[in-house]
Amino acid sequence: MICNLCPRNCMAERTPEKAGGVCHMPSLPVVAKAMLHQWEEPCLVGQHGAGTVFFSGCNLRCQFCQNSVISQEGFGRPIDAHRLREIFCELIDQGAACIDLVTPTHFTDVILEALGEEPWPVPVVWNCGGYEKKETIRRLDGYVQVYLPDLKYGMEGPGARYSGAGDYFRWAEESILEMYHQTGPYQLENGQLVRGVLIRHLILPGELDNTRSVIDWVSRTFEPGQVLFSLMSQYTPQPGATGKLARHITRSEYRAAVAYMENCGVTDGYTQERTSAKEEYTPAFDLSGV
């Protein structure tokens, strides 16, 4: 394939044997772990956990990525569409509340093949970094019931500085609007999100203006009851981090962000304890379940 799945538009040749593009991945999926994950938002976890598949590679180069061993170093095992479908079935048999596809965009073609045309007994969740093309998201209509995009940046500077994507917001805005166009207002059944959009935002230390710009966009774009919003405090400095990224967010930063969110009327969703950054958020990528 000559890849143009994401905003990078690398036009790189990616084959089952040859990796390419910013994601540095072949065309067939590379998976680092499949598990029942307890640390997603409560509306995704259910009784036993979200059936999470961690794909390797990423189109962003975030300096603060907690999953860098798979997103940037490429650790994982190559599989085909048949094995991927088997993994989905195995997770459902274990009691998964949903099929949670983490960083899936660069494997869109094979994931759609694995999902097939028949509906699944649990929601399919597209858990992505937000740096997406509307055209790619349109291809998921009818296959994906829940979209779980990051909205990392509302400002050009931090996007360029921390993820090499100064145009991040322009693409994220278009793609999230397409996600909402497909799902409509979020739907909960017995506390489980069965359809809709849940937008995540990770507060970065010293970047409250960026967080406010994200909240501003959500508040002016969506009315209460339309989307869920998750304001995350779990930023953890990574080895070698310098400058602002070398510390956790402070108690006052998180309180200010929560207050701003509430004042803007963004009340459907989740906040975290500031001290919620735990090792469990980053599972051991040991190829289990693959």
Side-chain angles (χ1 to χ4, degrees):
M1 66 181 294
I2 302 299
C3 190
N4 61 354
L5 288 170
C6 85
R8 299 292 187 184
N9 284 314
C10 296
M11 303 305 290
E13 182 181 8
R14 296 172 56 214
T15 71
E17 296 79 26
K18 180 179 180 180
V22 172
C23 65
H24 301 305
M25 283 288 119
S27 58
L28 289 179
V30 180
V31 178
K33 192 180 185 74
M35 63 178 289
L36 294 182
H37 194 20
Q38 299 287 346
W39 293 100
E40 304 287 36
E41 281 77 5
C43 65
L44 299 173
V45 170
Q47 183 177 358
H48 301 290
T52 305
V53 181
F54 290 92
F55 294 97
S56 303
C58 184
N59 66 352
L60 291 170
R61 317 311 292 169
C62 299
Q63 296 178 18
F64 50 85
C65 182
Q66 293 176 231
N67 295 349
S68 61
V69 66
I70 64 172
S71 66
Q72 298 180 25
E73 297 175 27
F75 174 80
R77 175 180 293 161
I79 61 174
D80 59 16
H82 176 74
R83 176 57 191 147
L84 185 57
R85 186 177 179 88
E86 286 183 338
I87 290 172
F88 298 162
C89 294
E90 290 165 6
L91 291 168
I92 290 171
D93 288 344
Q94 294 168 32
C98 63
I99 295 299
D100 179 20
L101 308 172
V102 179
T103 321
T105 303
H106 43 294
F107 300 124
T108 296
D109 295 346
V110 182
I111 290 172
L112 291 178
E113 180 183 350
L115 288 172
E117 299 296 332
E118 297 298 321
W120 290 80
V122 297
V124 175
V125 179
W126 198 259
N127 184 342
C128 64
Y131 195 48
E132 313 293 320
K133 289 177 73 170
K134 179 171 63 175
E135 293 79 8
T136 300
I137 298 301
R138 281 177 176 164
R139 295 178 56 195
L140 308 177
D141 194 4
Y143 295 88
V144 170
Q145 290 73 51
V146 174
Y147 286 100
L148 185 61
D150 288 335
L151 186 50
K152 298 178 187 290
Y153 309 111
M155 300 169 62
E156 179 178 346
R161 188 159 56 247
Y162 300 134
S163 297
D167 59 349
Y168 176 94
F169 177 74
R170 175 171 67 87
W171 292 99
E173 178 183 33
E174 285 189 357
S175 64
I176 291 173
L177 290 174
E178 173 60 26
M179 294 172 189
Y180 181 76
H181 174 74
Q182 292 180 22
T183 68
Y186 69 87
Q187 300 173 31
L188 295 169
E189 295 182 2
N190 298 319
Q192 174 77 34
L193 182 60
V194 297
R195 188 171 184 86
V197 179
L198 196 170
I199 300 169
R200 284 174 165 171
H201 175 70
L202 176 66
I203 305 170
L204 297 177
E207 297 290 354
L208 273 180
D209 284 345
N210 178 62
T211 292
R212 293 187 186 102
S213 68
V214 166
I215 294 171
D216 284 342
W217 181 79
V218 172
S219 67
R220 69 174 179 261
T221 304
F222 300 105
E223 297 178 359
Q226 291 189 323
V227 300
L228 293 167
F229 186 73
S230 182
L231 186 67
M232 300 189 297
S233 64
Q234 67 197 60
Y235 173 81
T236 302
Q238 297 302 297
T242 59
K244 296 178 182 178
L245 297 186
R247 64 171 177 85
H248 291 273
I249 67 169
T250 65
R251 182 177 290 104
S252 62
E253 283 176 320
Y254 192 64
R255 286 176 176 171
V258 171
Y260 193 81
M261 180 180 73
E262 293 173 347
N263 289 338
C264 288
V266 180
T267 56
D268 293 350
Y270 303 94
T271 57
Q272 291 178 320
E273 295 295 328
R274 186 185 62 87
T275 56
S276 65
K278 300 179 180 179
E279 291 182 0
E280 292 95 330
Y281 282 106
T282 305
F285 296 116
D286 54 8
L287 303 179
S288 59
V290 181

